[in-house]
Amino acid sequence: MDALDEADKFVSVRNLLPPHVTNLNAKKWIYRHMYQDERSALMHAKQGEDYRLPHDSARRKELTDSLGRLWHYVESLIEERLGVRHSKSSFPRATIDAMAKTVLQQHKMVVADANSEGGTDEMHPIPSHATLAELHSSAPVRDPKDSELWTVLAVGDPANLAHVTPIRSFGLKNIDSGASTVLSEICGPLALGSSVSRIEMLYGVRHVNPSGAPRWFPS
């Protein structure tokens, strides 16, 4: 509590509270929810004790928002106490939306009967001799729970994929160049039996602002 008392002299610790928390003791709330329920229960999860595994989207968003408030608070505290301002910039929302749609609409989801041929860390081309089949892609949509994420749902009818046997990888095909890149290789491989009526693949792009609060934590 001493640290919160000291920090509160420069920047109100109420800035760490979510908007719906207004009438509670701010320091007690921070200790209970941010220190015990988030920091300790997440970083020191132990069987038999209260622990936090935010795998569902609602709890993940709650934790991400809390970490964002903490990030902004520390940023404000450093500026107020040390006079050091954090440089940051961002694109307008309309620009981000337009870029996400453009990138997603430039590609088609494909399945292939071959794995990648290697390549750089970023690019893993599907071999030119591979047999491909395109999936039908929906229009890009923004995730209702994550405004930085845009996704496309690609759907395929097994009857239209019968010539790709077996399926060894999912990938993206650039509409302009025709080049195809592996997104995910399948160990197995995958054979579509008669009980399979539909195949789906969800893919997308995420906007990450390197000068903003972290909002994506890959597992």
Side-chain angles (χ1 to χ4, degrees):
M1 290 294 187
D2 290 344
L4 292 175
D5 289 336
E6 191 65 25
D8 195 45
K9 296 177 183 178
F10 299 95
V11 181
S12 173
V13 295
R14 296 200 69 85
N15 293 343
L16 290 167
L17 275 58
H20 66 275
V21 178
T22 57
N23 298 321
L24 299 178
N25 182 300
K27 295 167 190 175
K28 288 184 178 180
W29 189 95
I30 292 168
Y31 182 80
R32 170 65 183 87
H33 292 273
M34 297 187 69
Y35 183 79
Q36 292 182 325
D37 186 41
E38 292 178 1
R39 185 261 183 192
S40 296
L42 182 65
M43 304 302 294
H44 301 286
K46 296 180 177 65
Q47 187 175 4
E49 298 181 15
D50 185 30
Y51 59 88
R52 188 181 185 95
L53 298 176
H55 294 306
D56 65 277
S57 58
R59 297 200 75 191
R60 185 164 56 246
K61 183 179 185 305
E62 178 185 296
L63 180 60
T64 301
D65 289 345
S66 178
L67 292 173
R69 289 192 297 272
L70 178 60
W71 189 92
H72 286 297
Y73 183 84
V74 172
E75 176 190 34
S76 299
L77 188 61
I78 291 174
E79 181 177 347
E80 186 67 27
R81 183 68 179 87
L82 302 177
V84 178
R85 178 172 295 183
H86 174 67
S87 299
K88 53 187 175 182
S89 61
S90 62
F91 289 112
R93 170 53 53 190
T95 302
I96 297 172
D97 292 349
M99 290 191 297
K101 288 181 180 180
T102 299
V103 170
L104 290 173
Q105 290 171 340
Q106 284 179 339
H107 297 84
K108 290 286 188 181
M109 194 74 188
V110 298
V111 295
D113 63 355
N115 295 326
S116 71
E117 293 183 323
T120 66
D121 291 339
E122 294 80 18
M123 302 295 292
H124 298 274
I126 295 176
S128 57
H129 61 77
T131 301
L132 304 179
E134 292 185 4
L135 304 182
H136 176 72
S137 297
S138 68
V141 295
R142 188 195 302 165
D143 191 297
K145 295 182 179 179
D146 187 344
S147 61
E148 305 299 327
L149 176 64
W150 281 80
T151 61
V152 165
L153 178 64
V155 179
D157 184 334
N160 299 328
L161 309 178
H163 62 291
V164 184
T165 304
I167 296 174
R168 297 182 182 275
S169 61
F170 288 94
L172 287 179
K173 179 180 179 180
N174 186 288
I175 295 176
D176 296 329
S177 67
S180 299
T181 304
V182 170
L183 287 182
S184 178
E185 295 185 340
I186 301 174
C187 297
L190 176 64
L192 301 180
S194 58
S195 62
V196 178
S197 60
R198 176 184 174 101
I199 186 169
E200 295 183 353
M201 190 72 178
L202 185 70
Y203 66 101
V205 294
R206 177 183 296 278
H207 171 250
V208 177
N209 184 350
S211 65
R215 297 195 59 83
W216 182 55
F217 306 94
S219 56

